[in-house]
């Protein structure tokens, strides 16, 4: 089988996705992470779009990469101009990257209604732009925008666009499903109808608006393309792009293609979460291969099979992509689910009294509204307490919170906490907008002199679920908090109460105590 080239566009197309943004330093750090894992090409962005993109290309040329080539992104020259005089083309050259990508129109409707030129001039724009860049020593990829829509509308013209790019010297012709509307059977049909022996190598670029970007990518490769484009975590315009965290392991592990990233796939999960951290986005838990749910098992029967023959319940060994198996804890859990969680505390079997009592306790707690499958740090503390392996950080005396608002000014909350730490009376104070923020600030104020590691911990997600809405304002709530130490470690805790502040307090304290107990264990070891 042919070797497949992997082209990452997270730093350009990925940044066009909702809520995705990177600083200059983020983009540089992600570039090195992509290089480390073996990505072949990294699209840095459009040099003319803004000052940050220009600064990226100015800085990245000073960086050293072991494998990947940085790519500058741009479009064909304007109608009626010469490539040598066009600002877009000159920006690609000024980026000083070895490789550039040029986007051109394939769909006649776009040529006429968007470019407002004729189809022959569009072909000349493509030929002139690519041949000029080739004459300046660049490797040129030609992205055929709206290729599949254009081919469906007028196959002959789409083939002329392909031929124009190939004749001009393009190193790869990348067929783009810009609207994300093509389906796998069409991808196979269209590519197989193309006279590939007369053209430069083919590549594919799919968006996920129809939910089939991964399927289309695999179909495109199996139909003859040797170059795949996508983004980490599938981010991108509208519904996103083909997800390289899914496409690449499918190609390498399931389809047997040669991919340079294959040698480093055990770092794929780490890369996915690293990029999410840089974007300040909570990683998608249900993402195939790299999500924390990808190798998680909830039902007791499933956990029992995992204990005996995991290959019967998992499509691959999660370690191949750097992920790990998780046995989830819930009202569906049996002893097989609880037992793996106790291994680090000693030798237990299914009939150990500890396993039986913790399984019973788990079901009781979840009947009260707790949910531990999404809060394993809280469950770990529950186990520690039951096994007498728990070290409390503090003993609460009381806390006071007061919220106020005056006129049109923003609301404020002030709070004080009184507690005991190693039998010493301690007070903490905080000011914030809401009670949870203030509670967290006051708690940190009290704990920091005694536990300096508190500075390392950030609360990065906060969720509230009403458990019994029929009780209206007296409903019980469940609060989930996700915390991180910014070293690729994150954990989840839960609190339940009729009072949202108390539920939040429990979750916040357990977040700190989980890290404290884990940290103290490591120091002792």
């Amino acid at each position: 089988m042919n070797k497949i080239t992997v082209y990452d566009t997270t730093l350009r197309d990925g940044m066009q996705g909702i809520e995705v943004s990177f600083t200059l330093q983020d983009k540089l750090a992600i570039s090195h992470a992509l290089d480390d894992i073996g990505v072949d090409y990294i699209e840095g962005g459009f040099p003319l779009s803004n000052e940050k993109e220009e600064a990226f290309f100015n800085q990245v040329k000073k960086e050293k990469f072991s494998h990947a080539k940085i790519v500058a992104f741009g479009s064909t020259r304007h109608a009626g101009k010469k490539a040598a005089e066009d600002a877009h083309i000159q920006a690609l050259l000024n980026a000083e990257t070895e490789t550039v990508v040029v986007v051109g129109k394939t769909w006649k409707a776009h040529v006429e209604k968007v470019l407002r030129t004729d189809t022959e001039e569009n072909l000349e724009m493509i030929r002139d732009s690519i041949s000029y860049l080739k004459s300046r020593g660049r490797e040129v990829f030609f992205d055929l925008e709206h290729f599949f829509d254009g081919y469906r509308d007028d196959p002959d013209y789409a083939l002329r666009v392909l031929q124009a790019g190939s004749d001009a010297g393009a190193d790869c012709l990348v067929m783009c499903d810009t609207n994300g509307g093509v389906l796998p059977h069409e991808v196979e049909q269209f590519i197989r109808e193309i006279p590939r022996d007369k053209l430069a190598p083919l590549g594919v670029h799919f968006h996920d608006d129809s939910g089939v970007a991964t399927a289309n990518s695999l179909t495109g490769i199996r139909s003859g393309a040797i170059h795949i484009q996508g983004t980490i975590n599938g981010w991108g315009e509208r519904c996103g792009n083909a997800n390289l965290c899914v496409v690449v392991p499918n190609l390498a592990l399931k389809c047997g293609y040669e991919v340079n990233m294959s040698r480093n796939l055990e770092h794929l999960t780490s890369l996915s979460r690293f990029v999410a951290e840089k974007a300040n986005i909570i990683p998608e838990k249900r993402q195939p291969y790299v999500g924390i749910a990808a190798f998680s098992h909830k039902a007791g029967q499933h956990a029992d099979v995992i204990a005996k023959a995991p290959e019967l319940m998992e499509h691959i060994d999660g370690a191949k992509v750097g992920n790990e198996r998780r046995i989830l804890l819930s009202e569906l859990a049996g002893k097989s689910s609880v037992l793996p969680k106790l291994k680090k505390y000693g030798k237990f079997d299914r009939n150990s009294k500890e396993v039986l009592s913790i399984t019973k306790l788990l079901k009781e707690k979840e009947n009260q509204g707790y949910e531990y499958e999404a809060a394993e740090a809280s469950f770990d503390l529950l186990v520690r307490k039951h096994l007498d392996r728990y070290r409390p950080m503090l003993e609460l005396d009381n806390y006071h919170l007061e919220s106020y608002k005056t006129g049109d000014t923003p609301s404020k909350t002030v709070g004080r906490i009184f507690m005991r730490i190693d039998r010493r009376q301690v007070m903490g104070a905080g000011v914030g907008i809401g009670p949870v923020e203030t509670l967290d600030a006051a708690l940190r104020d009290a704990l920091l002199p005694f536990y300096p590691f508190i500075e390392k911990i950030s609360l990065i997600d906060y969720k509230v679920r009403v458990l019994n809405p029929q009780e209206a304002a007296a409903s019980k709530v469940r609060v989930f908090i996700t915390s991180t130490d910014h070293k690729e470690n994150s954990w989840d805790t839960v609190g339940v109460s009729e009072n949202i502040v108390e539920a939040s307090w429990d979750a916040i304290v357990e977040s700190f105590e989980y890290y404290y107990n884990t940290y103290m264990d490591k120091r002792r070891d």
Side-chain angles (χ1 to χ4, degrees):
M1 288 188 176
N2 290 324
K3 183 174 183 179
I4 306 302
T5 299
V6 176
Y7 180 107
D8 179 274
T9 180
T10 304
L11 302 182
R12 199 272 306 173
D13 213 337
M15 275 188 63
Q16 294 174 193
I18 186 171
E19 299 178 342
V20 180
S21 180
F22 299 117
T23 66
L24 172 59
Q25 293 305 315
D26 289 339
K27 293 186 67 170
L28 293 170
I30 291 169
S31 297
H32 283 288
L34 293 170
D35 177 50
D36 290 342
I37 204 170
V39 167
D40 300 298
Y41 292 91
I42 302 169
E43 187 175 276
F46 178 31
L48 272 185
S49 63
N50 56 59
E51 292 182 359
K52 183 171 68 176
E53 301 299 273
E54 183 180 0
F56 171 80
F57 287 104
N58 287 335
Q59 180 60 40
V60 78
K61 68 182 69 172
K62 305 173 187 176
E63 307 283 323
K64 292 183 178 181
F65 295 91
S66 62
H67 173 76
K69 294 181 181 180
I70 304 298
V71 184
F73 172 90
S75 61
T76 57
R77 67 161 172 83
H78 288 79
K81 290 188 176 183
K82 295 294 184 182
E85 303 167 355
D86 189 86
H88 283 191
I89 301 299
Q90 291 305 313
L92 290 175
L93 293 175
N94 292 338
E96 299 183 7
T97 58
E98 181 181 341
T99 306
V100 298
V101 60
V102 175
V103 177
K105 301 292 186 183
T106 313
W107 195 357
K108 288 173 63 176
H110 270 262
V111 174
E112 297 164 354
K113 296 179 182 180
V114 179
L115 294 182
R116 297 185 182 278
T117 190
D118 59 70
T119 53
E120 293 303 317
E121 171 64 3
N122 181 54
L123 294 175
E124 183 55 34
M125 291 160 59
I126 293 166
R127 286 190 287 261
D128 187 22
S129 300
I130 295 173
S131 61
Y132 176 71
L133 289 167
K134 289 296 295 182
S135 73
R136 298 297 298 271
R138 300 301 192 268
E139 180 180 28
V140 180
F141 295 154
F142 176 37
D143 275 12
L144 290 88
E145 191 176 40
H146 297 284
F147 172 81
F148 293 94
D149 291 307
Y151 188 91
R152 186 188 294 114
D153 177 60
D154 189 332
D156 290 338
Y157 186 71
L159 290 176
R160 291 184 68 194
V161 173
L162 276 170
Q163 195 66 57
S166 188
D167 292 344
D171 295 279
C172 186
L173 305 170
V174 184
M175 301 168 289
C176 302
D177 179 28
T178 312
N179 284 350
V182 72
L183 296 176
H185 70 278
E186 295 176 294
V187 172
E188 181 177 22
Q189 174 191 339
F190 294 174
I191 295 179
R192 292 197 182 282
E193 290 175 355
I194 293 171
R196 297 194 298 278
D197 58 328
K198 300 179 180 180
L199 299 170
L202 300 179
V204 286
H205 174 121
F206 292 101
H207 282 258
D208 204 34
D209 298 73
S210 300
V212 289
T214 293
N216 282 340
S217 297
L218 298 177
T219 301
I221 295 297
R222 290 179 61 81
S223 299
I226 61 169
H227 169 112
I228 184 72
Q229 296 191 357
T231 63
I232 301 301
N233 298 323
W235 297 340
E237 192 79 34
R238 304 181 309 278
C239 300
N241 287 47
N243 187 349
L244 293 180
C245 294
V246 180
V247 173
V248 172
N250 276 334
L251 289 173
L253 301 177
K254 299 294 185 71
C255 300
Y257 286 97
E258 183 183 354
V259 183
N260 189 65
M261 287 175 62
S262 299
R263 293 172 288 179
N264 300 304
L265 279 183
E266 69 272 16
H267 301 298
L268 187 64
T269 297
S270 177
L271 173 66
S272 168
R273 295 173 187 177
F274 174 78
V275 174
E277 173 78 14
K278 289 299 181 183
N280 197 26
I281 291 176
I282 304 301
E284 170 54 50
K285 294 181 178 181
R286 294 174 179 82
Q287 189 175 171
Y289 287 105
V290 298
I292 65 171
F295 300 94
S296 298
H297 305 272
K298 185 173 182 179
Q301 184 180 11
H302 285 215
D304 185 52
V305 175
I306 287 294
K308 297 172 181 174
E311 70 278 5
L312 300 181
M313 198 58 72
E314 295 174 341
H315 67 115
I316 68 163
D317 178 358
K320 291 183 177 181
V321 291
N323 210 337
E324 60 184 3
R325 181 180 302 128
R326 301 171 71 244
I327 304 300
L328 302 179
L329 301 151
S330 75
E331 73 279 0
L332 301 179
K335 292 176 288 186
S336 297
S337 299
V338 172
L339 185 58
K341 303 296 181 181
L342 272 62
K343 285 185 177 179
K344 63 181 178 180
Y345 298 116
K347 293 184 178 180
F348 303 94
D349 59 42
R350 289 169 54 88
N351 297 315
S352 297
K353 63 178 182 179
E354 293 86 357
V355 173
L356 296 172
S357 59
I358 290 174
T359 301
K360 179 181 179 182
L361 177 61
L362 172 64
K363 295 179 184 295
E364 291 173 353
K365 295 290 286 185
E366 294 219 346
N367 283 336
Q368 297 169 20
Y370 287 85
E371 182 182 304
Y372 290 105
E373 76 171 75
E376 291 203 8
S378 287
F379 182 75
D380 183 71
L381 290 175
L382 193 72
V383 171
R384 287 176 178 272
K385 292 174 183 178
H386 197 78
L387 299 178
D388 198 25
R389 296 286 299 271
Y390 164 72
R391 301 180 183 87
M393 290 176 62
L394 60 95
E395 181 182 351
L396 176 67
D397 285 339
N398 57 77
Y399 58 73
H400 301 270
L401 298 172
E402 179 182 357
S403 296
Y404 63 91
K405 180 176 175 64
T406 304
D408 294 331
T409 62
S411 62
K412 290 284 185 181
T413 302
V414 296
R416 292 178 297 166
I417 292 178
F418 296 90
M419 64 181 71
R420 299 177 192 277
I421 300 177
D422 293 333
R423 300 181 181 178
R424 294 178 57 182
Q425 188 75 37
V426 177
M427 186 194 84
V431 179
I433 296 174
V436 177
E437 177 190 3
T438 303
L439 200 61
D440 179 51
L443 181 57
R444 289 172 181 270
D445 183 52
L447 294 178
L448 189 58
F450 299 89
Y451 306 110
F453 68 81
I454 293 293
E455 282 190 316
K456 302 178 183 179
I457 298 176
S458 298
L459 308 185
I460 58 174
D461 196 19
Y462 176 89
K463 296 185 180 72
V464 179
R465 172 70 61 84
V466 177
L467 300 180
N468 50 339
Q470 68 276 8
E471 298 296 330
S475 299
K476 182 180 288 188
V477 298
R478 180 167 60 218
V479 169
F480 284 111
I481 284 178
T482 301
S483 304
T484 182
D485 62 0
H486 301 282
K487 293 182 179 179
E488 297 185 8
N489 296 315
S490 62
W491 58 95
D492 302 284
T493 52
V494 62
V496 175
S497 175
E498 289 82 3
N499 185 321
I500 190 172
V501 175
E502 183 176 354
S504 301
W505 163 264
D506 289 343
I508 292 171
V509 171
E510 289 205 348
S511 173
F512 294 149
E513 290 201 323
Y514 172 77
Y515 187 89
Y516 171 68
N517 278 267
T518 303
Y519 174 74
M520 292 298 292
D521 273 357
K522 289 181 179 179
R523 284 190 61 182
R524 186 184 61 182
D525 294 341

